[in-house]
């Protein structure tokens, strides 16, 4: 890649049987945040970890929002396509299969938007604390794609019904969705880690 379209980190695979992971950080994170988690949940996977291009008071994100939990949906669409184009570019440059996204919060929301708008860009997704990213998304064909959603029953940012609505709409599009609701808030817990390890091993 001569001039990559996203600042990112890449780690090559050490186990060719493991799928590549696309790591998508939360608001205020960067391309370094999820590398450790990625190595733990799928040891030996290639890791691609871009930095979101939007800055909100200096905090990187993957798309603009109008308020917490209220999204600029035109920007969500534009940014999901831009990130899917980056994935295609990275696959070509590094010789990778379609990756499984692992996103937290804002990173999970852009991954959900990519599944809806550019389903070919991802082989599946682990969505941690995700919510519905687009109110009127086209019905994508997600047959054959595994999706793990882990939500927090006490998440102050994401109403439980909103997370359930996302799980239902991904299932209705044909994805093989496993939705876990933990007795926790927005932050990740030890149980998230255990569920991720188990899902990636299956
Ligand atoms: C978002 O903006 O994507 C959600 O409100 C979650 C967050 O990043 O805080």
């Amino acid at each position: 890649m001569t001039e990559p379209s996203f600042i990112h980190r890449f780690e090559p695979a050490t186990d060719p049987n493991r799928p590549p992971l696309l790591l998508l950080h939360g608001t205020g994170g960067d391309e370094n945040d999820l590398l450790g988690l990625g190595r733990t949940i799928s040891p030996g996977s290639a890791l691609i970890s871009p930095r979101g291009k939007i800055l909100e008071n200096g905090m990187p994100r993957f798309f603009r929002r109008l308020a917490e939990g209220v999204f600029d949906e035109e920007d969500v669409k534009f940014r999901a396509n831009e990130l899917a184009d980056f994935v295609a570019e990275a696959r070509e440059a590094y010789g990778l299969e379609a990756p499984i996204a692992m996103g937290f919060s804002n990173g999970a929301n852009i991954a959900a938007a990519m599944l809806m708008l550019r389903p070919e860009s991802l082989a599946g997704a682990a969505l941690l604390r995700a919510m519905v990213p687009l109110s009127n998304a086209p019905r994508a064909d997600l047959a054959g794609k595994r999706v793990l959603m882990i939500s927090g029953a006490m998440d102050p940012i994401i109403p439980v019904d909103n997370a359930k609505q996302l799980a239902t709409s991904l299932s209705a599009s044909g994805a093989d969705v496993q939705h876990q609701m933990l007795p926790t808030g927005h932050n990740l817990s030890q149980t998230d880690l255990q569920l991720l390890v188990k899902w990636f091993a299956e």
Side-chain angles (χ1 to χ4, degrees):
M1 216 180 296
T2 38
E3 242 190 86
S5 58
F6 274 75
I7 294 170
H8 68 282
R9 294 272 306 265
F10 173 70
E11 286 190 8
T14 54
D15 178 349
N17 298 315
R18 289 281 192 163
L21 301 192
L22 177 71
L23 303 172
L24 300 169
H25 62 78
T27 301
D30 68 19
E31 66 278 17
N32 300 303
D33 276 25
L34 297 177
L35 292 170
L37 185 58
R39 289 181 205 118
T40 304
I41 62 176
S42 188
S45 276
L47 304 176
I48 323 165
S49 189
R51 183 194 302 178
K53 290 187 181 186
I54 298 298
L55 283 180
E56 183 185 276
N57 302 320
M59 296 184 297
R61 290 177 48 83
F62 287 98
F63 58 83
R64 272 179 238 288
R65 65 179 163 184
L66 308 173
E68 198 169 83
V70 185
F71 302 152
D72 175 342
E73 295 204 11
E74 282 313 304
D75 196 57
V76 174
K77 289 181 202 158
F78 179 80
R79 299 293 166 187
N81 278 300
E82 182 185 51
L83 192 54
D85 291 344
F86 166 72
V87 169
E89 181 187 309
R91 284 183 61 188
E92 165 117 16
Y94 300 125
L96 303 172
E97 292 166 23
I100 295 182
M102 206 254 309
F104 168 62
S105 190
N106 181 245
N109 296 339
I110 193 79
M114 288 167 77
L115 283 172
M116 292 166 175
L117 300 173
R118 296 282 296 273
E120 82 290 350
S121 62
L122 299 175
L127 307 175
L128 310 172
R129 309 300 183 272
M131 58 191 289
V132 176
L134 291 165
S135 45
N136 274 314
R139 176 65 56 88
D141 179 4
L142 300 179
K145 298 193 198 288
R146 294 174 73 222
V147 176
L148 173 66
M149 272 184 69
I150 312 181
S151 304
M154 292 170 291
D155 191 325
I157 301 174
I158 306 170
V160 166
D161 282 352
N162 185 299
K164 285 187 180 161
Q165 195 188 323
L166 176 60
T168 303
S169 100
L170 294 172
S171 295
S173 298
D176 172 8
V177 179
Q178 193 187 120
H179 189 196
Q180 302 276 352
M181 186 67 67
L182 304 182
T184 184
H186 198 67
N187 291 337
L188 298 182
S189 68
Q190 207 51 36
T191 314
D192 285 274
L193 186 63
Q194 287 160 3
L195 290 170
L196 284 164
V197 168
K198 184 163 171 283
W199 185 78
F200 272 97
E202 275 162 11

